[in-house]
Structures are given as C-alpha cells and as structure tokens.
Amino acid sequence: MENILDQNLEELQNWMEKNSEKKFRAKQVFDWVYDGIYDFDSMGNLPQGLKSKLASYFYIDIPEIVEAYKSEIDGTVKLLNRFRDGNIIESVIMKYKYGNTICISSQVGCRMGCKFCASTLNGIVRNLSAGEIISEIIAGGAYISERISNVVIMGSGEPLDNYNNIIKFLELVNLEHGLNIGQRHITLSTCGLVPKIYDLANKKLQITLAISLHSSNDEERRKIMPIANKYSIVDIMEACKYYIDMTGRRITFEYALIHGENDAKEDAYELVGILRGMLCHVNLIPMNEVKESKLKKSTNQNVKTFRDILDSSGIEVTIRRELGADINAACGQLRKSYLESHD
Ligand code: SF4
C-alpha cells in the first residue's frame, strides 16, 4: 500500500491508465483529497470499481493532531502530528497580516546534532515522505479552518538530508489541483549541506534558501554545529553565491544569538566581513532556551547592538519577532516532552 499523497498528478494519471481507468479521474481524486475527503468511498463522482481499486492500493495518511497549543498573545498554534506508524512531529502555524505561515518538519528527529536544538537530542528516527510533509500543511489548514499561504521548512529535521523527498514535496505543494502554494511562498532552511545546496541551485527554483549560520567563524561554529567540521563558512558562502547566480534569489542567513557565544560586537563585525556585497538578508533570532542545554539567550541590549552593527554596514537585517512566547516550547521540545510523558 502507498500513501496517495506521495503521488504527483502524472504518477496518478499513469496509475489510472495502468489500471484501465480514465486519466481524468486522477484530477477528481486530487480534488477530493485536497478538499478534505480522506476516504475513497465518499468520493461521489468516482465509479464503485475505481473506489475499490484505489482503496486496495492506496491509503491517505493525514496525521492526527494529538496535542495543540494556542498562544493567547498572538494566536500562534503549535501542533503535535501523529502519523499512522505512530511517529510524532511538530508543526507551528503563525498568523501574519499577509496570511498564515506554517513551519513544518522534514524528518522525525534529526542527525545534525546542533547544540541549541531539542529535535536532535535522540538522533534521527526516519525521513518523512513528500506526501507526509504535504499532509502537515493539510492537517494544519484543517485545524485552523483557514488557508495556509506560506511554508517554512524549518521544523525538526535537516531538509537537504532528505533531499529527494523534499524536491518532490516542492513539486507537490505547487500543484494547481493540490495546495497550489507558489515557490516564492516557500522557505527552506538548511544547516549548510554544501553539495546539496549546489544540487538545489541547479534546479533553479524560486524558493527562498535560508542558511542556519549562527556563527561568523568556523572555530565557534564547530562548537555549536557539528556540520561545521565538514563544511567551512567559506564553502557555504561559495555555494550560496552559486545559488544566487542560478536563481537570482536573495539568501537569508539565520543567526540565533547565544549569550557569550556568538553575540559580541566582534562577531557582528566578522559577519559583516563575510556577507558584505552579497544579495542577502540576516534574520537575528533571540534563541529559544532548551533545558537540556547550558546555552543562554542574548540580552536585549546585545541583540540591538548586533543588529545596529549590521544595519550601519549596509547589511539588511531584522530581528525575528518572538511568537508564541506563552506556549513556550523551542523547536523539538514539544515532541520530546510528549514522548517522555507517554513512555
Ligand atoms: S537545528 Fe535543524 S539541522 Fe540542527 S539539529 Fe535542529 S533540526 Fe537538525
């Protein structure tokens, strides 16, 4: 059995033909699924024979929302999604003036080992399939009963470590008969898997690439991000320039400010030296503290000084608004506490 959400239109059309059905049935099935009908029997305009064939070949895996938290302050919603094999992942829906943005996971757990991140504490369990990643958006939209117009792939997992499924997801999310979310409304965040950045650049997509940089020199970066032992900041910058050349898209650099680790004035000046002249934007993130880690959040003053140094050097910079502060849970933290309490 296969998850029907893993199919693109062409694949489902081919399946129809192979099973002596008309190709146009594929679009009808997609319309039903993306309209929230998750059992083949209820798809009114399909012949009974096709319904039975579909049910014997495919399942529709929309994760069950096992827990949900809503911020009283800003309406941010954090969801724990459970797939049919019992695995749990997190998604977060944020409300902005221009629409709803969902932050989704790409893997169950993560193997990258970043020191500030709760998602990686127990390593990786498995990749999510393209259809499972899509279904996080479907389940999130159904939960809030509103359209989701923007997607950031920034939850648990390293998306470029699940490259083929992510590429297929980027195709599926765009489908007119599906979620119909355009590439420019999608941001993919990576800790810097350099060879995969080149592969992605060669696809010439219009998505926004975000790099979790978090440090302005390799020595410091290695202390918080093990991937820095493999790829240097120079390697990453070269890959980013290639990405810009191929796509014309501005790169976002994510920089979580950690007290006493990477938030000094010298760090800001060093960052300016690396990024000057590049088509980019820096997103400063007041770090979410993870209780298992000794790392602490920067002071407001340090965050402001850091921002001002970048700004006055001509680097575009914003400080990420803290959303959902009252449902206080860093990325990966909710899943972890849920798993611990259900052991
Ligand atoms: S920050 Fe991202 S890449 Fe690093 S461990 Fe967490 S989920 Fe993985």
mmCIF file of all heavy atoms in Angstrom, residues 79 126 251:
data_model
loop_
_atom_site.group_PDB
_atom_site.id
_atom_site.type_symbol
_atom_site.label_atom_id
_atom_site.label_comp_id
_atom_site.label_asym_id
_atom_site.label_seq_id
_atom_site.Cartn_x
_atom_site.Cartn_y
_atom_site.Cartn_z
ATOM 1 N N LEU A 79 1.313 22.392 16.895
ATOM 2 C CA LEU A 79 0.587 21.122 16.753
ATOM 3 C C LEU A 79 1.546 19.944 16.854
ATOM 4 O O LEU A 79 2.655 19.988 16.314
ATOM 5 C CB LEU A 79 -0.107 21.064 15.393
ATOM 6 C CG LEU A 79 -1.117 22.167 15.086
ATOM 7 C CD1 LEU A 79 -1.606 22.047 13.643
ATOM 8 C CD2 LEU A 79 -2.296 22.106 16.050
ATOM 9 N N ARG A 126 13.481 8.698 11.265
ATOM 10 C CA ARG A 126 13.328 8.407 9.825
ATOM 11 C C ARG A 126 13.018 9.691 9.060
ATOM 12 O O ARG A 126 12.657 10.709 9.647
ATOM 13 C CB ARG A 126 12.233 7.363 9.577
ATOM 14 C CG ARG A 126 10.819 7.824 9.860
ATOM 15 C CD ARG A 126 9.829 6.778 9.364
ATOM 16 N NE ARG A 126 8.451 7.097 9.683
ATOM 17 C CZ ARG A 126 7.649 7.861 8.946
ATOM 18 N NH1 ARG A 126 8.106 8.458 7.860
ATOM 19 N NH2 ARG A 126 6.395 8.065 9.301
ATOM 20 N N ILE A 251 19.475 35.310 -0.411
ATOM 21 C CA ILE A 251 19.628 34.275 0.624
ATOM 22 C C ILE A 251 19.334 34.884 1.999
ATOM 23 O O ILE A 251 19.674 36.038 2.257
ATOM 24 C CB ILE A 251 21.083 33.748 0.656
ATOM 25 C CG1 ILE A 251 21.514 33.259 -0.724
ATOM 26 C CG2 ILE A 251 21.278 32.718 1.752
ATOM 27 C CD1 ILE A 251 21.484 31.803 -0.963
#
